[in-house]
Amino acid sequence: AKKWINIRKLYGNFYKVPRNQTKLTIMLEKLGMNYDGRPHSGLDDSKNIARIAIRMLQDGCDLRVNERIHGGQLMTVSSSVPLEGAPAPQMPRYRN
């Protein structure tokens, strides 16, 4: 993976909160959610991050790549940069 969405950074920018308010448990708490699972379990952390991402989408956030690796260096991706790669997924169409 050379490009990804840093949810902590996106959350802070979208909800206009400082970086110290972007820890996983604090983000969940501010969104009115409880932590599900065991703390520091990779699977449970991932599920909770997904719940935050879903809520952000519901609140109108545009989830976009905001970090990448280039030449071994971590780089921030501007939100004005067009997305590269495949088009957005479409809902499957069912035949009657």
Side-chain angles (χ1 to χ4, degrees), residues 23-68:
K23 291 184 172 56
L24 181 56
T25 54
I26 294 172
M27 291 189 293
L28 288 165
E29 178 184 314
K30 296 291 184 186
L31 294 173
M33 301 177 194
N34 292 320
Y35 186 92
D36 287 345
R38 296 181 330 244
H40 307 296
S41 159
L43 181 59
D44 291 339
D45 284 351
S46 297
K47 288 177 181 179
N48 284 290
I49 292 167
R51 291 172 54 223
I52 291 169
I54 290 167
R55 173 62 183 277
M56 291 175 69
L57 285 167
Q58 292 170 340
D59 288 348
C61 183
D62 185 18
L63 298 182
R64 297 177 69 98
V65 169
N66 59 7
E67 288 187 349
R68 68 184 178 107

Side-chain angles (χ1 to χ4, degrees), residues 81-96:
V81 174
L83 293 178
E84 302 171 7
Q90 301 293 315
M91 292 297 293
R93 295 182 188 184
Y94 298 100
R95 296 181 190 192
N96 293 340

